[in-house]
Amino acid sequence: MRRALELARQAWGRTHPNPMVGAVITEDGQVVAEGFHAKAGEPHAEVMALRALGRKPSASAILHVTLEPCCTHGRTPPCVEAILAAGIRTVVVGALDPNPAHAGKGLDLLRAKGVAVIEGVLRDECAQLNLIFNHWITEGSPLVALKIASTLDGKLVLPAGEGRAVTGVESHADVHRLRRLFPAIAVSAQTALADNPRLTARGPEGESCGIRFVLDRHFKTAGRSGLNLFQDHHRERTVVVGLGSSAKKSDLSWYEAEGIKVWSLVGDEDSFLDVWAERCAQEKITGVLVEAGPRLASAMLRAGGAHYLYAYVSPRTGEPDSPAWHEGVDLSGGAFRTSVLGQDALFEGFLG
Ligand code: AOF
Ligand code: ZN
């Protein structure tokens, strides 16, 4: 199952709206075939492994798969049928598929045909891998995850003269891993203007770019042609999100002339984030990573607009006069786990 997880991760961030899934076939304790789901519309992990085997599995063959095999016709035929047709008699499963069309039915069907099913092997890891899919398929709305990089005292900026990098290189690399995972990233207009970010994922795998949202209620970014988000070669992936009620004609025509997409939402200050999330759902965007400054972070947390939190915390102290991101925010009811990244700690988990 560990190997199957590794295989699943080979399609990191590339399977939306589908989950990442890996599969391994063993015979007499030896791995004889492997597969993973590479992309929605392409064969599922189990089918890839069976194809890789290229012959009938032996009577003792065991299929190990990180997600419950599907039992419905989607873009591809059901894996349960492929498993039965191949004559596999033992299946080891990581997590159940939360897709209401499956949700244990695949395992029931296999058992009804006399297949031995062992479930829950590395369940938490297998489920965690697909946190975006799991939310999307059960809620029909994007998983909104808030990313924060803060000092120990919750500040997002260092005292003057201490530079801008609050967290260390290991944390920065990890953020790029998250940028590759999420189909979309969002920043506030303030952040876009102050930091001029690129919001692309850069790492050993090269550069990739999801949809880049600028949350800009009053279209303050209009006319700012120097921003990386407006001029780099991924600019067609940038979407400026504002309130239709505060859209000036001249601003909208500037974006249009520049070829920058605009979502002009029908709503007000209070409903803005909700209306944006609804529009994302309509556009089948399964998850958004919000890289927040202090204002957006606390606004989202207070309004309950985020489901998941990634808090990268460094052992430094911040600018005393700057606001702490968790000021006035109720984090109780959240379930967080900790990992160590160089000098920093990452606390991540679902918000209450
Ligand atoms: C599996 N193995 O590798 C994956 C599964 O449209 P389709 O045919 O790709 O089906 C998508 C659904 O199948 C998806 O919502 C999820 O429930 C399941 N994904 N199942 O047995 C796989 N990717
Ligand atoms: Zn399947």
Side-chain angles (χ1 to χ4, degrees), residues 241-277:
V241 187
L243 285 170
S245 52
S246 45
K248 278 191 257 135
K249 251 205 174 119
S250 55
D251 290 347
L252 295 183
S253 31
W254 182 82
Y255 293 113
E256 199 183 338
E258 293 286 312
I260 305 294
K261 285 194 198 79
V262 170
W263 287 4
S264 215
L265 301 180
V266 179
D268 55 26
E269 294 285 344
D270 290 338
S271 63
F272 177 73
L273 292 172
D274 288 340
V275 177
W276 166 59

mmCIF file of all heavy atoms in Angstrom, residues 241-277:
data_model
loop_
_atom_site.group_PDB
_atom_site.id
_atom_site.type_symbol
_atom_site.label_atom_id
_atom_site.label_comp_id
_atom_site.label_asym_id
_atom_site.label_seq_id
_atom_site.Cartn_x
_atom_site.Cartn_y
_atom_site.Cartn_z
ATOM 1 N N VAL A 241 -11.481 38.909 -9.535
ATOM 2 C CA VAL A 241 -12.829 38.719 -9.005
ATOM 3 C C VAL A 241 -13.233 39.964 -8.229
ATOM 4 O O VAL A 241 -12.549 40.352 -7.270
ATOM 5 C CB VAL A 241 -12.876 37.493 -8.060
ATOM 6 C CG1 VAL A 241 -14.309 37.205 -7.641
ATOM 7 C CG2 VAL A 241 -12.245 36.271 -8.716
ATOM 8 N N GLY A 242 -14.310 40.619 -8.654
ATOM 9 C CA GLY A 242 -14.759 41.828 -7.966
ATOM 10 C C GLY A 242 -16.273 41.874 -7.871
ATOM 11 O O GLY A 242 -16.965 40.940 -8.285
ATOM 12 N N LEU A 243 -16.749 42.961 -7.307
ATOM 13 C CA LEU A 243 -18.196 43.159 -7.172
ATOM 14 C C LEU A 243 -18.703 43.958 -8.363
ATOM 15 O O LEU A 243 -18.197 45.057 -8.636
ATOM 16 C CB LEU A 243 -18.499 43.921 -5.889
ATOM 17 C CG LEU A 243 -18.373 43.131 -4.586
ATOM 18 C CD1 LEU A 243 -18.466 44.068 -3.394
ATOM 19 C CD2 LEU A 243 -19.437 42.044 -4.507
ATOM 20 N N GLY A 244 -19.701 43.416 -9.042
ATOM 21 C CA GLY A 244 -20.271 44.109 -10.189
ATOM 22 C C GLY A 244 -20.711 45.509 -9.823
ATOM 23 O O GLY A 244 -20.539 46.459 -10.595
ATOM 24 N N SER A 245 -21.229 45.656 -8.595
ATOM 25 C CA SER A 245 -21.756 46.957 -8.167
ATOM 26 C C SER A 245 -20.666 48.018 -8.067
ATOM 27 O O SER A 245 -20.942 49.205 -8.131
ATOM 28 C CB SER A 245 -22.463 46.811 -6.825
ATOM 29 O OG SER A 245 -21.604 46.159 -5.915
ATOM 30 N N SER A 246 -19.398 47.587 -7.912
ATOM 31 C CA SER A 246 -18.355 48.623 -7.829
ATOM 32 C C SER A 246 -17.455 48.624 -9.063
ATOM 33 O O SER A 246 -16.358 49.169 -9.036
ATOM 34 C CB SER A 246 -17.528 48.461 -6.548
ATOM 35 O OG SER A 246 -17.173 47.137 -6.340
ATOM 36 N N ALA A 247 -17.962 48.007 -10.138
ATOM 37 C CA ALA A 247 -17.154 47.947 -11.361
ATOM 38 C C ALA A 247 -17.363 49.191 -12.209
ATOM 39 O O ALA A 247 -18.478 49.465 -12.642
ATOM 40 C CB ALA A 247 -17.529 46.703 -12.154
ATOM 41 N N LYS A 248 -16.267 49.939 -12.438
ATOM 42 C CA LYS A 248 -16.367 51.085 -13.351
ATOM 43 C C LYS A 248 -16.176 50.581 -14.770
ATOM 44 O O LYS A 248 -15.356 49.696 -15.013
ATOM 45 C CB LYS A 248 -15.274 52.111 -13.024
ATOM 46 C CG LYS A 248 -15.661 53.014 -11.870
ATOM 47 C CD LYS A 248 -14.688 54.190 -11.755
ATOM 48 C CE LYS A 248 -13.726 53.976 -10.639
ATOM 49 N NZ LYS A 248 -12.353 54.220 -10.771
ATOM 50 N N LYS A 249 -16.915 51.171 -15.687
ATOM 51 C CA LYS A 249 -16.825 50.747 -17.097
ATOM 52 C C LYS A 249 -15.385 50.813 -17.588
ATOM 53 O O LYS A 249 -14.901 49.915 -18.272
ATOM 54 C CB LYS A 249 -17.708 51.647 -17.963
ATOM 55 C CG LYS A 249 -18.944 50.954 -18.481
ATOM 56 C CD LYS A 249 -19.428 51.635 -19.755
ATOM 57 C CE LYS A 249 -20.575 50.846 -20.364
ATOM 58 N NZ LYS A 249 -21.799 51.606 -20.441
ATOM 59 N N SER A 250 -14.704 51.900 -17.208
ATOM 60 C CA SER A 250 -13.341 52.096 -17.712
ATOM 61 C C SER A 250 -12.416 50.997 -17.178
ATOM 62 O O SER A 250 -11.518 50.524 -17.878
ATOM 63 C CB SER A 250 -12.828 53.466 -17.290
ATOM 64 O OG SER A 250 -12.928 53.606 -15.873
ATOM 65 N N ASP A 251 -12.640 50.569 -15.928
ATOM 66 C CA ASP A 251 -11.815 49.480 -15.376
ATOM 67 C C ASP A 251 -12.059 48.187 -16.150
ATOM 68 O O ASP A 251 -11.118 47.508 -16.569
ATOM 69 C CB ASP A 251 -12.155 49.248 -13.899
ATOM 70 C CG ASP A 251 -11.677 50.396 -13.019
ATOM 71 O OD1 ASP A 251 -10.873 51.216 -13.527
ATOM 72 O OD2 ASP A 251 -12.105 50.479 -11.859
ATOM 73 N N LEU A 252 -13.342 47.876 -16.338
ATOM 74 C CA LEU A 252 -13.667 46.620 -17.030
ATOM 75 C C LEU A 252 -13.120 46.630 -18.445
ATOM 76 O O LEU A 252 -12.615 45.607 -18.924
ATOM 77 C CB LEU A 252 -15.188 46.390 -17.034
ATOM 78 C CG LEU A 252 -15.810 46.162 -15.646
ATOM 79 C CD1 LEU A 252 -17.302 45.877 -15.769
ATOM 80 C CD2 LEU A 252 -15.118 45.021 -14.905
ATOM 81 N N SER A 253 -13.161 47.781 -19.113
ATOM 82 C CA SER A 253 -12.630 47.770 -20.479
ATOM 83 C C SER A 253 -11.106 47.676 -20.470
ATOM 84 O O SER A 253 -10.518 47.122 -21.392
ATOM 85 C CB SER A 253 -13.129 48.935 -21.331
ATOM 86 O OG SER A 253 -13.362 50.051 -20.559
ATOM 87 N N TRP A 254 -10.473 48.153 -19.401
ATOM 88 C CA TRP A 254 -9.019 47.966 -19.326
ATOM 89 C C TRP A 254 -8.671 46.471 -19.265
ATOM 90 O O TRP A 254 -7.826 45.991 -20.024
ATOM 91 C CB TRP A 254 -8.426 48.691 -18.104
ATOM 92 C CG TRP A 254 -6.928 48.524 -18.069
ATOM 93 C CD1 TRP A 254 -6.003 49.252 -18.760
ATOM 94 C CD2 TRP A 254 -6.192 47.518 -17.346
ATOM 95 N NE1 TRP A 254 -4.737 48.774 -18.514
ATOM 96 C CE2 TRP A 254 -4.822 47.704 -17.651
ATOM 97 C CE3 TRP A 254 -6.561 46.475 -16.488
ATOM 98 C CZ2 TRP A 254 -3.809 46.896 -17.114
ATOM 99 C CZ3 TRP A 254 -5.551 45.674 -15.948
ATOM 100 C CH2 TRP A 254 -4.199 45.893 -16.263
ATOM 101 N N TYR A 255 -9.343 45.733 -18.352
ATOM 102 C CA TYR A 255 -9.062 44.294 -18.263
ATOM 103 C C TYR A 255 -9.327 43.608 -19.604
ATOM 104 O O TYR A 255 -8.555 42.766 -20.045
ATOM 105 C CB TYR A 255 -9.933 43.625 -17.189
ATOM 106 C CG TYR A 255 -9.631 44.042 -15.759
ATOM 107 C CD1 TYR A 255 -10.557 44.761 -15.013
ATOM 108 C CD2 TYR A 255 -8.431 43.684 -15.143
ATOM 109 C CE1 TYR A 255 -10.303 45.136 -13.695
ATOM 110 C CE2 TYR A 255 -8.172 44.049 -13.830
ATOM 111 C CZ TYR A 255 -9.112 44.780 -13.115
ATOM 112 O OH TYR A 255 -8.845 45.137 -11.828
ATOM 113 N N GLU A 256 -10.428 44.000 -20.231
ATOM 114 C CA GLU A 256 -10.803 43.369 -21.495
ATOM 115 C C GLU A 256 -9.721 43.608 -22.549
ATOM 116 O O GLU A 256 -9.294 42.691 -23.241
ATOM 117 C CB GLU A 256 -12.153 43.907 -21.962
ATOM 118 C CG GLU A 256 -12.804 42.994 -22.972
ATOM 119 C CD GLU A 256 -14.118 43.554 -23.512
ATOM 120 O OE1 GLU A 256 -14.741 44.403 -22.834
ATOM 121 O OE2 GLU A 256 -14.480 43.144 -24.622
ATOM 122 N N ALA A 257 -9.265 44.865 -22.615
ATOM 123 C CA ALA A 257 -8.234 45.203 -23.603
ATOM 124 C C ALA A 257 -6.946 44.433 -23.330
ATOM 125 O O ALA A 257 -6.216 44.059 -24.248
ATOM 126 C CB ALA A 257 -7.977 46.710 -23.577
ATOM 127 N N GLU A 258 -6.657 44.183 -22.055
ATOM 128 C CA GLU A 258 -5.441 43.450 -21.687
ATOM 129 C C GLU A 258 -5.611 41.939 -21.828
ATOM 130 O O GLU A 258 -4.668 41.176 -21.644
ATOM 131 C CB GLU A 258 -5.066 43.759 -20.231
ATOM 132 C CG GLU A 258 -4.639 45.185 -19.990
ATOM 133 C CD GLU A 258 -3.252 45.480 -20.539
ATOM 134 O OE1 GLU A 258 -2.323 44.683 -20.286
ATOM 135 O OE2 GLU A 258 -3.092 46.500 -21.239
ATOM 136 N N GLY A 259 -6.858 41.496 -22.054
ATOM 137 C CA GLY A 259 -7.110 40.060 -22.159
ATOM 138 C C GLY A 259 -7.127 39.363 -20.815
ATOM 139 O O GLY A 259 -6.853 38.161 -20.715
ATOM 140 N N ILE A 260 -7.443 40.101 -19.741
ATOM 141 C CA ILE A 260 -7.514 39.513 -18.402
ATOM 142 C C ILE A 260 -8.975 39.185 -18.080
ATOM 143 O O ILE A 260 -9.843 40.056 -18.216
ATOM 144 C CB ILE A 260 -6.974 40.494 -17.321
ATOM 145 C CG1 ILE A 260 -5.553 40.955 -17.657
ATOM 146 C CG2 ILE A 260 -7.070 39.890 -15.921
ATOM 147 C CD1 ILE A 260 -4.505 39.899 -17.613
ATOM 148 N N LYS A 261 -9.200 37.949 -17.647
ATOM 149 C CA LYS A 261 -10.580 37.546 -17.310
ATOM 150 C C LYS A 261 -11.047 38.257 -16.053
ATOM 151 O O LYS A 261 -10.282 38.453 -15.107
ATOM 152 C CB LYS A 261 -10.631 36.040 -17.053
ATOM 153 C CG LYS A 261 -10.556 35.199 -18.292
ATOM 154 C CD LYS A 261 -10.964 33.763 -17.952
ATOM 155 C CE LYS A 261 -10.493 32.811 -19.027
ATOM 156 N NZ LYS A 261 -9.059 32.476 -18.916
ATOM 157 N N VAL A 262 -12.340 38.570 -16.036
ATOM 158 C CA VAL A 262 -12.946 39.221 -14.868
ATOM 159 C C VAL A 262 -14.216 38.471 -14.486
ATOM 160 O O VAL A 262 -15.005 38.101 -15.357
ATOM 161 C CB VAL A 262 -13.285 40.700 -15.187
ATOM 162 C CG1 VAL A 262 -14.136 41.313 -14.070
ATOM 163 C CG2 VAL A 262 -12.014 41.517 -15.372
ATOM 164 N N TRP A 263 -14.366 38.213 -13.196
ATOM 165 C CA TRP A 263 -15.660 37.758 -12.682
ATOM 166 C C TRP A 263 -16.256 38.928 -11.928
ATOM 167 O O TRP A 263 -15.740 39.341 -10.884
ATOM 168 C CB TRP A 263 -15.509 36.574 -11.716
ATOM 169 C CG TRP A 263 -15.167 35.279 -12.369
ATOM 170 C CD1 TRP A 263 -14.910 35.049 -13.683
ATOM 171 C CD2 TRP A 263 -15.034 34.011 -11.693
ATOM 172 N NE1 TRP A 263 -14.612 33.715 -13.874
ATOM 173 C CE2 TRP A 263 -14.693 33.065 -12.678
ATOM 174 C CE3 TRP A 263 -15.171 33.598 -10.366
ATOM 175 C CZ2 TRP A 263 -14.478 31.722 -12.366
ATOM 176 C CZ3 TRP A 263 -14.962 32.266 -10.059
ATOM 177 C CH2 TRP A 263 -14.622 31.330 -11.063
ATOM 178 N N SER A 264 -17.338 39.441 -12.451
ATOM 179 C CA SER A 264 -18.008 40.576 -11.841
ATOM 180 C C SER A 264 -19.203 40.002 -11.077
ATOM 181 O O SER A 264 -20.212 39.672 -11.665
ATOM 182 C CB SER A 264 -18.472 41.479 -12.976
ATOM 183 O OG SER A 264 -18.384 42.792 -12.624
ATOM 184 N N LEU A 265 -19.056 39.844 -9.767
ATOM 185 C CA LEU A 265 -20.043 39.073 -9.010
ATOM 186 C C LEU A 265 -21.223 39.922 -8.562
ATOM 187 O O LEU A 265 -21.078 41.109 -8.274
ATOM 188 C CB LEU A 265 -19.381 38.454 -7.772
ATOM 189 C CG LEU A 265 -18.200 37.515 -8.021
ATOM 190 C CD1 LEU A 265 -17.661 36.981 -6.696
ATOM 191 C CD2 LEU A 265 -18.595 36.356 -8.938
ATOM 192 N N VAL A 266 -22.364 39.265 -8.489
ATOM 193 C CA VAL A 266 -23.558 39.918 -7.952
ATOM 194 C C VAL A 266 -23.593 39.603 -6.459
ATOM 195 O O VAL A 266 -23.821 38.463 -6.056
ATOM 196 C CB VAL A 266 -24.838 39.386 -8.635
ATOM 197 C CG1 VAL A 266 -26.067 40.067 -8.049
ATOM 198 C CG2 VAL A 266 -24.762 39.590 -10.137
ATOM 199 N N GLY A 267 -23.306 40.613 -5.652
ATOM 200 C CA GLY A 267 -23.278 40.390 -4.210
ATOM 201 C C GLY A 267 -22.862 41.669 -3.525
ATOM 202 O O GLY A 267 -22.782 42.723 -4.159
ATOM 203 N N ASP A 268 -22.575 41.574 -2.235
ATOM 204 C CA ASP A 268 -22.099 42.751 -1.505
ATOM 205 C C ASP A 268 -20.857 42.367 -0.702
ATOM 206 O O ASP A 268 -20.379 41.236 -0.796
ATOM 207 C CB ASP A 268 -23.208 43.323 -0.608
ATOM 208 C CG ASP A 268 -23.760 42.266 0.341
ATOM 209 O OD1 ASP A 268 -23.023 41.302 0.665
ATOM 210 O OD2 ASP A 268 -24.922 42.382 0.757
ATOM 211 N N GLU A 269 -20.361 43.310 0.091
ATOM 212 C CA GLU A 269 -19.138 43.059 0.870
ATOM 213 C C GLU A 269 -19.247 41.753 1.676
ATOM 214 O O GLU A 269 -18.313 40.976 1.732
ATOM 215 C CB GLU A 269 -18.895 44.218 1.847
ATOM 216 C CG GLU A 269 -18.585 45.545 1.177
ATOM 217 C CD GLU A 269 -17.178 45.616 0.614
ATOM 218 O OE1 GLU A 269 -16.334 44.781 0.998
ATOM 219 O OE2 GLU A 269 -16.929 46.492 -0.230
ATOM 220 N N ASP A 270 -20.405 41.546 2.273
ATOM 221 C CA ASP A 270 -20.553 40.395 3.165
ATOM 222 C C ASP A 270 -20.641 39.073 2.426
ATOM 223 O O ASP A 270 -20.140 38.057 2.887
ATOM 224 C CB ASP A 270 -21.808 40.555 4.045
ATOM 225 C CG ASP A 270 -21.603 41.661 5.068
ATOM 226 O OD1 ASP A 270 -20.437 41.974 5.362
ATOM 227 O OD2 ASP A 270 -22.614 42.223 5.535
ATOM 228 N N SER A 271 -21.328 39.101 1.277
ATOM 229 C CA SER A 271 -21.548 37.828 0.583
ATOM 230 C C SER A 271 -20.452 37.519 -0.435
ATOM 231 O O SER A 271 -20.450 36.445 -1.031
ATOM 232 C CB SER A 271 -22.913 37.843 -0.113
ATOM 233 O OG SER A 271 -22.923 38.848 -1.108
ATOM 234 N N PHE A 272 -19.503 38.454 -0.606
ATOM 235 C CA PHE A 272 -18.513 38.354 -1.681
ATOM 236 C C PHE A 272 -17.812 36.980 -1.732
ATOM 237 O O PHE A 272 -17.786 36.318 -2.770
ATOM 238 C CB PHE A 272 -17.480 39.479 -1.527
ATOM 239 C CG PHE A 272 -16.370 39.446 -2.528
ATOM 240 C CD1 PHE A 272 -16.601 39.802 -3.849
ATOM 241 C CD2 PHE A 272 -15.086 39.062 -2.156
ATOM 242 C CE1 PHE A 272 -15.564 39.777 -4.784
ATOM 243 C CE2 PHE A 272 -14.057 39.036 -3.085
ATOM 244 C CZ PHE A 272 -14.292 39.392 -4.405
ATOM 245 N N LEU A 273 -17.275 36.542 -0.598
ATOM 246 C CA LEU A 273 -16.507 35.292 -0.598
ATOM 247 C C LEU A 273 -17.408 34.086 -0.897
ATOM 248 O O LEU A 273 -17.007 33.168 -1.616
ATOM 249 C CB LEU A 273 -15.777 35.100 0.736
ATOM 250 C CG LEU A 273 -14.636 36.089 1.005
ATOM 251 C CD1 LEU A 273 -14.101 35.942 2.429
ATOM 252 C CD2 LEU A 273 -13.507 35.916 -0.015
ATOM 253 N N ASP A 274 -18.626 34.115 -0.372
ATOM 254 C CA ASP A 274 -19.564 33.009 -0.643
ATOM 255 C C ASP A 274 -19.947 32.960 -2.117
ATOM 256 O O ASP A 274 -20.005 31.883 -2.719
ATOM 257 C CB ASP A 274 -20.850 33.189 0.185
ATOM 258 C CG ASP A 274 -20.602 32.909 1.660
ATOM 259 O OD1 ASP A 274 -19.595 32.238 1.965
ATOM 260 O OD2 ASP A 274 -21.414 33.375 2.489
ATOM 261 N N VAL A 275 -20.221 34.140 -2.678
ATOM 262 C CA VAL A 275 -20.649 34.181 -4.082
ATOM 263 C C VAL A 275 -19.502 33.715 -4.991
ATOM 264 O O VAL A 275 -19.709 32.990 -5.961
ATOM 265 C CB VAL A 275 -21.130 35.605 -4.475
ATOM 266 C CG1 VAL A 275 -21.506 35.668 -5.945
ATOM 267 C CG2 VAL A 275 -22.315 36.012 -3.608
ATOM 268 N N TRP A 276 -18.282 34.103 -4.612
ATOM 269 C CA TRP A 276 -17.105 33.648 -5.367
ATOM 270 C C TRP A 276 -17.000 32.114 -5.323
ATOM 271 O O TRP A 276 -16.796 31.462 -6.357
ATOM 272 C CB TRP A 276 -15.851 34.308 -4.782
ATOM 273 C CG TRP A 276 -14.559 33.698 -5.226
ATOM 274 C CD1 TRP A 276 -14.111 33.580 -6.508
ATOM 275 C CD2 TRP A 276 -13.563 33.119 -4.381
ATOM 276 N NE1 TRP A 276 -12.875 32.958 -6.507
ATOM 277 C CE2 TRP A 276 -12.521 32.673 -5.224
ATOM 278 C CE3 TRP A 276 -13.439 32.949 -3.002
ATOM 279 C CZ2 TRP A 276 -11.374 32.053 -4.715
ATOM 280 C CZ3 TRP A 276 -12.299 32.337 -2.495
ATOM 281 C CH2 TRP A 276 -11.293 31.896 -3.352
ATOM 282 N N ALA A 277 -17.184 31.538 -4.110
ATOM 283 C CA ALA A 277 -17.091 30.074 -3.988
ATOM 284 C C ALA A 277 -18.186 29.389 -4.807
ATOM 285 O O ALA A 277 -17.936 28.355 -5.446
ATOM 286 C CB ALA A 277 -17.184 29.658 -2.513
#
